[in-house]
Structures are given as C-alpha cells and as structure tokens.
C-alpha cells in the first residue's frame, strides 16, 4: 500500500514508521525541517518538507497513493480541512488519526488563544506559556508580557526568532523538545515562580496530564485553550490495525 501521511505529531511519526516497518510505502509530509529531523531514516519512508496549501496537496495526491492519513495536530484545523477536501477531490480514501483528550480538575478554559490572553490580563503572577510559537503574537498583547510570561517552544531557529522578534526577553524563552515529565514542569514553574500554566488540550501524547499535575502540585492555575473542533477518527493502534488489515 502507498500511503500519504500528513504528520508533525508524535503519534503521526509513530504511525508513519510502523507502516513502513510493516512493508508499506509511506510518504510523510511535515511543515518544517525540525519536524523532518525528528523522523529517523528508514526503508519505505520518504519525508517531504514544507507547508502545502490545498492545491499543492491535490498535486501530491495525484502521484498514485492508495490512501491519505491526516495525523496533524488537533489545533491545526485549517490544515485538516484542506487535507480532507483535497482527498475528496483526488478521490482517495481518507483517515484521521485522533489524539484523545484528557480531563483535569480545577481548569480555567478559554475558547481561543485570544480569549486566554484576555483572561491572563486579569490574572496576577508569572505565566508559563506552553502553546507553541504560533500563538506568541496573541499573548504579546498581555500587559507587561515581557516581565510576566515565560514561553516554552520547540528548539528551532524559527520558534526562537519568532519569540525574540515579538519582544520576549531571551531570559524568558525556553527552547526544549517535549513532552515533559511532571517533575520537569514542576521545576520550571518553581524556577519562574509561576502562578499560571497555559496549555492546549494536547492529550497524553502532548504531556497534558503532566502539566495539569505539575500546576496542581505547585498551586498554579491551569488555563486550557479548548480544541477548535470535535473530530471523528481513530487512535493510533486502531488506525494501524485498520490500515494494515482492513484496507489492504
């Protein structure tokens, strides 16, 4: 089977590698060179780097694939919409790899990054922001953000440059690859005297539980940005089984 997989997530990488190990031909599309470097070279796996619009996706899908898998981040709503639409146009079988949500207690929720930034304006204390580099501009609207907010982003030049250009101090930028343990989150919150931890609903693969537990352990508030859409699909093991047993 020839599979076109749009990845970038931990579970997307795992699915791509396991399909290739099972003898299938997998082309994994990632947005950045950093995402490419996280995939170890192996037989049967080809990696395409660079962001695609819908038309570019259709052109790639016309290269003789048997199915398309959307394994992008649950917050990449526009990308997922484009993948679904492109697969329909190309007439290819489509599957969505789901990242399940995780529940937590004493959560403050926001419908968007903009709403979360508004809430932070009225919440005292230092902030550990773990929502990624794409939202940094939104949180730069928070009063005294240079003093209050510490950002944790991927260790890439793109993420670091984005933070610096927006005015986040170098001493407030943590460039590290997650997911992080409860102990690491606790240590970071204690180091910055954090009163609020901001996260997305990243699920187990994104270390959501460890963040929630760490915030509770140090008495910090947990501010969670809700997922933009409710999706249907399959989790990793179920989708792997379907692709290797039911579709082949």
């Amino acid at each position: 089977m020839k599979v076109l997989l749009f990845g970038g997530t931990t579970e997307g990488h795992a699915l791509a590698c396991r399909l290739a190990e099972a003898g299938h031909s997998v082309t994994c599309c990632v947005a950045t060179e950093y995402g490419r470097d996280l995939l170890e070279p192996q037989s049967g796996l080809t990696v395409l780097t660079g962001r695609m619009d819908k038309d570019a996706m259709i052109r790639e899908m016309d290269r003789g694939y048997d199915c398309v898998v959307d394994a992008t981040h649950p917050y990449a709503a526009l990308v997922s919409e484009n993948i679904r639409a492109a697969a329909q146009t190309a007439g290819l079988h489509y599957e969505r790899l789901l990242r399940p949500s995780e529940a937590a207690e004493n959560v403050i929720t926001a419908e968007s990054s903009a709403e979360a930034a508004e809430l932070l304006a009225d919440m005292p204390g230092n902030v550990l922001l773990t929502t990624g580099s794409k939202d940094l501009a939104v949180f730069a609207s928070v009063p005294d953000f240079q003093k209050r907010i510490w950002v944790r982003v991927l260790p890439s030049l793109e993420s670091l440059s984005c933070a610096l250009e927006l005015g986040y101090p170098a001493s407030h930028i943590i460039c590290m690859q997650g997911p992080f343990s409860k102990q690491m989150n606790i240590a970071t919150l204690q180091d910055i005297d954090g009163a609020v931890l901001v996260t997305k609903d990243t699920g187990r693969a994104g270390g959501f539980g460890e963040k929630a537990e760490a915030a509770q352990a140090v008495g910090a508030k947990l501010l969670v940005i809700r997922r933009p859409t409710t999706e249907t699909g399959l989790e990793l093991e179920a989708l792997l089984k379907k692709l290797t047993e039911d579709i082949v």
Side-chain angles (χ1 to χ4, degrees):
M1 183 170 59
K2 189 175 180 181
V3 180
L4 179 63
L5 186 148
F6 291 85
T9 59
T10 302
E11 60 272 32
H13 290 167
L15 180 61
C17 292
R18 289 177 67 178
L19 285 171
E21 289 170 0
H24 302 289
S25 175
V26 182
T27 298
C28 184
C29 301
V30 297
T32 64
E33 292 182 359
Y34 181 79
R36 177 200 64 196
D37 293 341
L38 291 177
L39 280 163
E40 294 185 6
Q42 70 180 84
S43 177
L45 177 62
T46 301
V47 181
L48 298 181
T49 307
R51 292 180 173 85
M52 296 186 188
D53 59 16
K54 178 183 172 183
D55 290 338
M57 291 175 183
I58 293 172
R59 288 194 296 272
E60 182 59 34
M61 290 179 191
D62 285 339
R63 297 181 183 273
Y65 294 97
D66 297 304
C67 72
V68 175
V69 177
D70 177 6
T72 60
H73 199 277
Y75 287 80
L78 179 58
V79 176
S80 287
E81 181 181 335
N82 285 339
I83 295 170
R84 283 193 300 269
Q88 184 175 15
T89 299
L92 291 178
H93 182 87
Y94 166 89
E95 295 285 350
R96 173 60 165 150
L97 175 61
L98 289 184
R99 173 182 286 186
S101 291
E102 283 196 309
E105 297 180 353
N106 302 318
V107 172
I108 302 168
T109 59
E111 296 299 325
S112 65
S113 297
E115 183 179 341
E118 292 176 2
L119 291 172
L120 281 179
D122 296 322
M123 297 171 69
N126 294 335
V127 179
L128 176 59
L129 182 63
T130 68
T131 59
S133 61
K134 292 182 180 179
D135 293 325
L136 292 181
V138 176
F139 288 98
S141 66
V142 176
D144 294 327
F145 78 94
Q146 297 100 329
K147 296 179 180 179
R148 294 186 56 204
I149 298 179
W150 276 255
V151 300
R152 192 166 68 190
V153 295
L154 291 173
S156 68
L157 288 176
E158 182 180 12
S159 297
L160 177 58
S161 297
C162 178
L164 291 171
E165 289 169 4
L166 287 168
Y168 290 90
S171 59
H172 284 213
I173 303 171
I174 305 166
C175 293
M176 295 180 69
Q177 169 66 42
F180 301 94
S181 66
K182 173 184 174 181
Q183 290 72 22
M184 175 65 81
N185 288 316
I186 288 175
T188 304
L189 286 167
Q190 290 177 334
D191 185 61
I192 70 170
D193 192 23
V196 186
L197 189 156
V198 184
T199 181
K200 294 178 178 177
D201 177 8
T202 54
R204 180 178 299 176
F208 178 82
E210 289 80 1
K211 289 187 234 182
E213 291 173 1
Q216 184 176 22
V218 303
K221 292 182 172 63
L222 184 68
L223 177 54
V224 180
I225 302 170
R226 292 183 185 272
R227 295 187 180 186
T229 57
T230 300
E231 298 183 295
T232 58
L234 295 171
E235 295 178 29
L236 177 59
E237 296 300 331
L239 182 52
L240 182 65
K241 182 178 185 296
K242 182 177 182 180
L243 289 173
T244 55
E245 296 181 10
D246 299 344
I247 293 179
V248 174

